[in-house]
Amino acid sequence: MQPIHELETPSVLIDLDRMERNIAAMQTRCDDAGVKFRPHIKTHKIPQIAKMQLEAGAVGIACQKVSEAQVFAEAGIHDLMIPYNVVGAAKTRKLADLAYYTRLIASLDSEHTLKGYSAAAQNMEIVLRVVIELATEMQRAGASVSDALRLAEIIDQDDHLHFGGLLIYPSMPAARPVLQEALDGLHRRGIGVDIVSGGGIGASHHLKDVPELTEIRVGTYVFNDWTTVDNGYATLDECAMTVRSTVVSAPTYNRVILDCGSKTLSSEVHNGAYGFIMEYPQARIYKLNEEHAYVDISACDEKRPEIGEIVQVVPVHTCVVTNLHDTLYGVRGDQVESTFAVAARGKVW
Ligand SMILES: Cc1ncc(COP(=O)(O)O)c(C=O)c1O
C-alpha cells in the first residue's frame, strides 16, 4: 500500500470501488435482459480485470486484435472472440494457433477473409468458429444482408469453418430490421445460428429492444469516460478512471496549464473538450500539446486552480488512455491498493 499523494503526476488512477460497482451493474443489466455478457477487454487490456469480469458472470471476453487475444490466452482465459477481420497469412496462422488451444470465435465480412480463415484452419487441422459481421448505420466494416447470406452458405459448405452466427456493432434498436432480415434468410436456408453478438455501451441500455441478441460486448463501462457521461450512458460517479495531474503554469488570469498532454490523455476530443476536470466542472480543456493541457478557466467562480494544485481529469476516451500507459493504479480511499501492468499495451496487430 502506498498513499496516493506519493504517486507522480500524471498517473492514471482506477477507483476500485467504482470499477467493482460498474462490473457488477453491467452483469446485472445483462442477466436481467437474459443476454450473455462478453466484456470487450480493449478498454483495460489487463488480464486481472478480465478475470474479475468473468468471476462476476461473463461468458468469455472479446479482444479486438489477435496479439491482444494472445496475452489473455496466456493468462489463462480461454473463451475468446475477435470481432475483427483478421487479414493476412501471418495473422491467420496465429489466429488458428490460438484456436487450437482456446474456444475462439473470429468474425469476417468478406470472401477474402473467409478464404484466409479456411486456409489457416486447414493447415492447423482444426475447425474454426466464425461469425459474420453485418453492416450498420455506423458505416464501418460489415457485410450487407445479401452478402452475409452468401458468405454463410459458403461457410456452411466449408469443412474447416463452423458458422457460429452473426455479429453487429453497435447493436442499437435501429439495427434490428437488418438482424431480423439476416436471421430470416438463414432460417430459410436451413443454416443454424448459435450466437447473435451485439455491442456497445449505448446498446447495453436497449437490450430489451433487440431481443434477437444472445450476447453483448461492452468495454467502456468498466471505467467510463467523459464521452459516455456526456452521451448520457453513465454518470460522473461511475467514472473509475481519472488522470491525476498537476497545475504547472497559470500564465494568464483565464488560462492554466496541466502536466497531462496528448501523451497522457490521447488527442481524442469530444464536443471541443479533451477531458473533464472533476474539481472544476466549469473549466474546459480546449487544447493539448504532448505534455501540456490548456485549460480555459474563465467560467470558474472565485475558486480557481493554482500552480502546484493536483486535479483529477476524466479522459474523453478511456480505451486509448490505457494503451498509452504501462501501469494503472488501483486506488481505494487515499491508498494505492493494486498496481495493474497494462499487459496488452501496444498489442495492436
Ligand atoms: C466490435 C466492437 N464490439 C464492442 C465494442 C465495445 O463498445 P463500447 O466501446 O461502447 O464499450 C466495440 C468498441 O469499439 C467494438 O468496436
Side-chain angles (χ1 to χ4, degrees), residues 12 42 44-45 57 94 119 121 164 185 227-228 248 251 286 305 339:
V12 183
K42 76 199 172 83
H44 54 70
K45 288 180 171 265
K94 289 181 184 132
T227 308
T228 53
V248 291
Y286 63 93
T339 301

Side-chain angles (χ1 to χ4, degrees), residues 141-164:
S144 64
V145 172
S146 55
D147 284 347
L149 294 173
R150 186 178 52 80
L151 291 170
E153 283 174 339
I154 302 173
I155 294 166
D156 205 36
Q157 297 299 312
D158 192 307
D159 289 342
H160 296 280
L161 298 178
H162 171 74
F163 177 72

Side-chain angles (χ1 to χ4, degrees), residues 49-188:
I49 298 182
K51 287 179 183 171
M52 292 180 203
Q53 294 169 311
L54 290 165
E55 273 161 28
V59 291
I61 61 170
C63 304
Q64 206 79 330
K65 295 294 185 71
V66 176
S67 55
E68 226 174 27
Q70 282 173 324
V71 170
F72 284 79
E74 278 159 24
I77 296 174
H78 287 159
D79 193 319
L80 310 163
M81 169 183 272
I82 303 185
Y84 201 87
N85 285 288
V86 179
V87 173
K91 283 192 176 70
T92 51
R93 195 165 44 243
K94 289 181 184 132
L95 180 80
D97 183 49
L98 256 185
Y100 190 79
Y101 67 96
T102 65
R103 180 178 159 79
L104 183 127
I105 313 167
S107 78
L108 62 90
D109 70 358
S110 72
E111 206 168 329
H112 185 110
T113 308
L114 186 160
K115 283 183 179 156
Y117 288 175
S118 178
Q122 187 168 2
N123 280 340
M124 193 62 70
E125 295 180 6
I126 57 165
V127 175
L128 183 64
R129 292 200 310 147
V130 296
V131 287
I132 297 176
E133 179 175 4
L134 288 171
T136 64
E137 75 281 4
M138 189 185 191
Q139 300 191 358
R140 192 168 72 173
S144 64
V145 172
S146 55
D147 284 347
L149 294 173
R150 186 178 52 80
L151 291 170
E153 283 174 339
I154 302 173
I155 294 166
D156 205 36
Q157 297 299 312
D158 192 307
D159 289 342
H160 296 280
L161 298 178
H162 171 74
F163 177 72
L166 299 171
L167 180 125
I168 197 154
Y169 178 80
S171 56
M172 294 297 267
R176 198 173 172 212
V178 165
L179 270 181
Q180 286 174 322
E181 191 187 337
L183 288 169
D184 188 46
L186 290 167
H187 182 68
R188 276 189 278 107

Side-chain angles (χ1 to χ4, degrees), residues 10-12 241-245 260 264-265 311-315 321:
S11 292
V12 183
M241 177 188 278
T242 53
V243 177
R244 189 177 144 82
S245 313
C260 54
T264 301
L265 291 175
V311 293
Q312 312 242 74
V313 179
V314 176
V321 172

Side-chain angles (χ1 to χ4, degrees), residues 330-342:
V331 301
R332 213 180 297 268
D334 56 6
Q335 298 290 318
V336 179
E337 193 178 292
S338 354
T339 301
F340 296 115
V342 185

Side-chain angles (χ1 to χ4, degrees), residues 259-303:
D259 62 355
C260 54
S262 55
K263 283 185 172 164
T264 301
L265 291 175
S266 87
S267 301
E268 293 224 9
V269 59
H270 177 75
N271 289 341
Y274 289 84
F276 176 84
I277 305 175
M278 288 283 213
E279 295 80 355
Y280 295 98
Q282 287 101 349
R284 190 171 65 89
I285 304 178
Y286 63 93
K287 179 174 164 178
L288 298 179
N289 293 153
E290 287 174 50
E291 304 291 6
H292 297 75
Y294 297 56
V295 188
D296 175 357
I297 55 168
S298 57
C300 294
D301 342 307
E302 316 84 71
K303 183 165 154 27

Side-chain angles (χ1 to χ4, degrees), residues 308-319:
E309 190 176 331
I310 290 184
V311 293
Q312 312 242 74
V313 179
V314 176
V316 160
H317 187 179
T318 177
C319 314

